[in-house]
Amino acid sequence: MKKYILSLLIGTALLSSCLDVDIVDRVEKEDGFFKTEDHALAAINGVYSTLYAFAYHKTNWAIILPTYEDAMFSTGNAVPATVSNNTHSAGSAPVVNFWGELYNGIKNANEVIARVPSISFKSENDKNRIIAEAYFLRALYHYDLMRLYGGVNGIPIVIEPVTGIENAYVPQSPASKVYEQIISDFEYAAGLNDDDTPRLPKRLDPAYTSGRVTNGAAHAFLAEVYLTLGRWEDAAREAQEVISSEQYTFVNDYQNLWDIEQESLAQTEHIFSVPFFRDKDALADQSLGSNIAHLFNPAGVQVGGKLVSGNPYGKGAGAHRVQKWFIKYFQDDQGNLGYSDPSVDASIDESKLISKDYRIEVTFWRRFQQKNNNTGVLGNIVTVYPAAGGNSQENWGYIRKFIDPQGINNRTNENDMPRLRLSDMYLIRAEALNELGKYTEACQAIDMVRERARKANGTERAYPKYIGSDRPDNIGRTLTKQEFRWLVFMERGLEFAGEQKRWFDLIRMKYDENTQMYDYIKDTFIPSRPAADVQKQGVMAARKKYFPIPFAEVSRNDGVQQNPGY
């Protein structure tokens, strides 16, 4: 059953977030815009449209972020491959285009925040909701900009409508000020009306609509922001606020989170995701479909011929790959953290997969089938590590979460883009509580995530093992604070593989008190892996701790400095 999106959003999302100040002034003067409830709704839909933009969640979020991390890489000659091998520049469009797209969204949000309060509504709470949505989206867009581009000098904070050249070029503010504004906006969105009802709904009816922001999403992003800042008490509190709201529940079968036909049901676990759908009437680049099924899947089809994306031949691009060492870490339980029984070889006999964490087989392709583009005839079966056999073998993995057999074209598939799930809240609590020295509570939080993984597809497994000693089937030892921190890092790596969280974790987390996780992985962990398990195309480098600010922005705005290495 497919979700429905916010009324009017379908029409406005095709406009490229273009509520430009000149257009606003012209329409307001000539046509009376920002005068009615319908105008306000159209305006907030314009702010939402940024979420679906080609330069954001539709394509660039999924095509670029994996090329910055340690566990994935991109092949070929296109821009993602140049990012992967660290030969990109501040002129590489998919890398820098987030900047303009997100600031357009912020500009539109500022118009709503400034102009909607003067509009008369039948219900003040309806007006308050639209304003709160604008605050939420302004916070989200600043948050992503800060994480992508603000690592050294911060980013410009834009919270007033652009009225002319005098306030068009805003200088960078330091990270502390940027996060202060982000928190303030999310807190406003999470606040209450005069009658003590939430400005945003607790959650949406998943059978009717998705894509609009909620009170739960505001608290969830506050939890993630506080985690990023190392404000452990605040992070744990906000995550618990979402958990205790009882608005979200785990989907019993982890695989059903990614079943294209069950996306509406999976909304019980998704706190915030960007919904996409098959939009057959629009051009591929402008459609409201997503690109991720084409980007992540192999250049073949499912064994037996079932398609994987809307590609004309039903194939994926085969460009975004997973490092063998990453899959092997879980497949062979190399960290002795209870992910599998490493003595059991399940590479051919799939009945033995019960000895492995279910998320491994759901997340990573094991085999696919070649298909002739001209005749449509199915060809050889290709196995992908950790599977073996077949007619040929590939060492580098593929993410298998995002499949749409009924997609329209490469860039028009129905797979949603997840941003925050209930698992995030438990893993945020686990990380924060560990840093606070509350080991027992931290174990209880991470074990909630593992409990769902053990349920598999209905036949419960003994893997992953629990961490807490209060659970009977546990790993059999107590972890140090540093060991637990590493556990959370890798648990997040498996639980959220392919969901574009890994690079952010590498940047914000520490391996120990003196070493950033990115530096530890780059300088110590990866060099310790067998050479055959590391694809050298995936380059980690000091400058890949930051995204380059667009050349054009640096050249025309004296208040913006380029990040190191660009």
Side-chain angles (χ1 to χ4, degrees):
M1 177 169 52
K2 187 56 189 173
K3 68 273 170 178
Y4 295 90
I5 305 182
L6 162 65
S7 161
L8 296 180
L9 182 56
I10 295 173
T12 59
L14 300 180
L15 307 173
S16 59
S17 294
C18 57
L19 202 58
D20 184 88
V21 62
D22 294 332
I23 296 174
V24 170
D25 287 344
R26 176 178 57 77
V27 173
E28 184 179 29
K29 291 173 182 175
E30 296 177 5
D31 301 321
F33 200 67
F34 280 113
K35 299 299 182 184
T36 70
E37 291 188 32
D38 285 345
H39 294 162
L41 182 59
I44 192 61
N45 288 348
V47 186
Y48 272 106
S49 71
T50 294
L51 292 171
Y52 305 87
F54 187 90
Y56 196 16
H57 290 115
K58 177 178 175 68
T59 294
N60 286 10
W61 194 254
I63 203 172
I64 294 299
L65 282 171
T67 67
Y68 264 75
E69 65 168 76
D70 59 333
M72 293 185 70
F73 63 94
S74 185
T75 62
N77 299 311
V79 170
T82 68
V83 179
S84 210
N85 63 33
N86 194 34
T87 59
H88 61 297
S89 73
S92 300
V95 184
V96 299
N97 284 356
F98 292 111
W99 182 278
E101 192 65 53
L102 290 171
Y103 274 116
N104 264 346
I106 290 168
K107 180 174 63 177
N108 293 349
N110 288 335
E111 295 291 342
V112 171
I113 292 167
R115 297 170 184 270
V116 168
S118 64
I119 298 175
S120 294
F121 273 66
K122 294 176 182 177
S123 165
E124 278 298 301
N125 285 359
D126 289 346
K127 178 198 291 189
N128 293 343
R129 174 177 178 172
I130 286 175
I131 296 169
E133 288 174 321
Y135 272 97
F136 179 107
L137 293 168
R138 186 172 75 178
L140 175 62
Y141 300 157
H142 273 115
Y143 177 48
D144 284 344
L145 282 163
M146 180 62 213
R147 294 192 297 166
L148 294 170
Y149 299 101
V152 175
N153 301 306
I155 61 168
I157 302 172
V158 181
I159 56 173
E160 299 292 339
V162 176
T163 55
I165 194 66
E166 66 276 1
N167 71 338
Y169 298 110
V170 180
Q172 288 166 304
S173 293
S176 59
K177 292 295 184 183
V178 178
Y179 277 112
E180 184 180 301
Q181 183 63 50
I182 291 166
I183 290 168
S184 175
D185 280 358
F186 275 133
E187 284 181 337
Y188 182 91
L192 302 177
N193 294 311
D194 290 341
D195 61 3
D196 288 334
T197 59
R199 291 184 177 121
L200 297 174
K202 284 288 187 181
R203 67 167 293 115
L204 302 172
D205 178 357
Y208 175 67
T209 185
S210 65
R212 292 187 76 164
V213 302
T214 62
N215 180 270
H219 283 290
F221 272 107
L222 278 169
E224 190 180 68
V225 170
Y226 288 136
L227 192 77
T228 299
L229 297 175
R231 291 174 55 173
W232 310 121
E233 291 276 9
D234 292 329
R237 182 193 69 248
E238 291 292 342
Q240 187 59 48
E241 175 83 15
V242 179
I243 295 167
S244 298
S245 73
E246 299 183 345
Q247 298 297 312
Y248 306 95
T249 57
F250 280 120
V251 173
N252 281 333
D253 186 340
Y254 182 78
Q255 181 167 282
N256 288 347
L257 275 170
W258 318 111
D259 185 338
I260 198 75
E261 299 305 324
Q262 300 194 55
E263 279 188 334
S264 292
L265 299 178
Q267 293 302 315
T268 60
E269 179 169 335
H270 285 287
I271 300 169
F272 185 67
S273 61
V274 181
F276 288 95
F277 64 95
R278 305 175 193 113
D279 183 10
K280 65 181 180 179
D281 296 324
L283 296 175
D285 288 1
Q286 286 79 44
S287 77
L288 287 174
S290 69
N291 198 9
I292 195 167
H294 178 245
L295 292 172
F296 278 25
N297 287 310
V301 295
Q302 299 179 65
V303 174
K306 192 173 183 180
L307 309 183
V308 301
S309 83
N311 171 269
Y313 311 107
K315 302 178 179 181
H320 278 54
R321 308 298 296 271
V322 184
Q323 293 278 10
K324 184 176 181 179
W325 69 258
F326 183 71
I327 303 174
K328 184 180 284 189
Y329 185 89
F330 305 105
Q331 178 76 7
D332 297 344
D333 195 28
Q334 292 182 340
N336 192 24
L337 294 172
Y339 287 107
S340 74
D341 180 348
S343 68
V344 176
D345 181 1
S347 60
I348 295 177
D349 185 353
E350 296 199 348
S351 68
K352 295 180 179 179
L353 286 173
I354 198 168
S355 66
K356 312 291 179 182
D357 190 315
Y358 178 62
R359 292 173 294 182
I360 300 171
E361 69 200 72
V362 169
T363 299
F364 307 113
W365 277 86
R366 291 178 59 83
R367 56 182 54 83
F368 63 91
Q369 194 161 12
Q370 295 175 339
K371 179 183 176 184
N372 187 290
N373 289 348
N374 295 319
T375 66
V377 174
L378 298 177
N380 289 339
I381 293 176
V382 180
T383 54
V384 186
Y385 181 84
N391 302 106
S392 60
Q393 175 84 28
E394 293 192 12
N395 277 332
W396 315 112
Y398 300 92
I399 296 293
R400 199 180 186 279
K401 288 180 174 178
F402 306 103
I403 294 174
D404 184 4
Q406 300 178 58
I408 305 299
N409 54 54
N410 290 351
R411 293 171 175 168
T412 310
N413 300 284
E414 197 157 279
N415 312 89
D416 294 347
M417 180 63 68
R419 287 298 303 261
L420 287 174
R421 302 195 271 113
L422 185 59
S423 294
D424 284 273
M425 298 302 100
Y426 282 107
L427 291 178
I428 285 172
R429 276 189 61 79
E431 182 177 344
L433 292 168
N434 176 60
E435 298 297 337
L436 292 167
K438 300 179 180 180
Y439 181 76
T440 299
E441 293 175 68
C443 290
Q444 290 169 348
I446 202 167
D447 281 341
M448 290 297 294
V449 177
R450 290 191 160 207
E451 180 180 272
R452 190 268 295 279
R454 288 167 64 101
K455 292 179 181 178
N457 58 356
T459 301
E460 185 154 349
R461 299 186 179 186
Y463 297 91
K465 299 297 184 186
Y466 292 115
I467 305 300
S469 60
D470 61 328
R471 299 270 196 165
D473 192 15
N474 60 69
I475 60 173
R477 70 186 194 281
T478 300
L479 302 179
T480 66
K481 178 182 283 189
Q482 184 175 333
E483 287 172 333
F484 194 95
R485 186 184 297 143
W486 174 258
L487 164 68
V488 171
F489 176 65
M490 294 307 290
E491 186 79 12
R492 288 177 61 87
L494 179 58
E495 176 74 17
F496 302 128
E499 296 178 53
Q500 286 59 258
K501 298 178 188 285
R502 180 77 171 182
W503 180 72
F504 297 119
D505 289 347
L506 285 164
I507 300 303
R508 68 171 183 78
M509 293 184 75
K510 292 182 177 180
Y511 174 70
D512 57 34
E513 296 307 313
N514 302 309
T515 310
Q516 185 186 36
M517 190 66 78
Y518 190 98
D519 289 333
Y520 171 73
I521 295 291
K522 175 173 68 74
D523 299 332
T524 303
F525 186 81
I526 296 292
S528 73
R529 302 298 95 186
D533 295 347
V534 180
Q535 169 54 258
K536 300 300 183 183
Q537 176 117 359
V539 175
M540 297 186 74
R543 75 176 192 143
K544 288 178 75 174
K545 295 180 184 181
Y546 326 101
F547 275 52
I549 296 172
F551 277 134
E553 185 67 25
V554 176
S555 64
R556 69 192 177 198
N557 187 344
D558 292 337
V560 171
Q561 297 180 32
Q562 185 58 273
N563 281 322
Y566 299 100

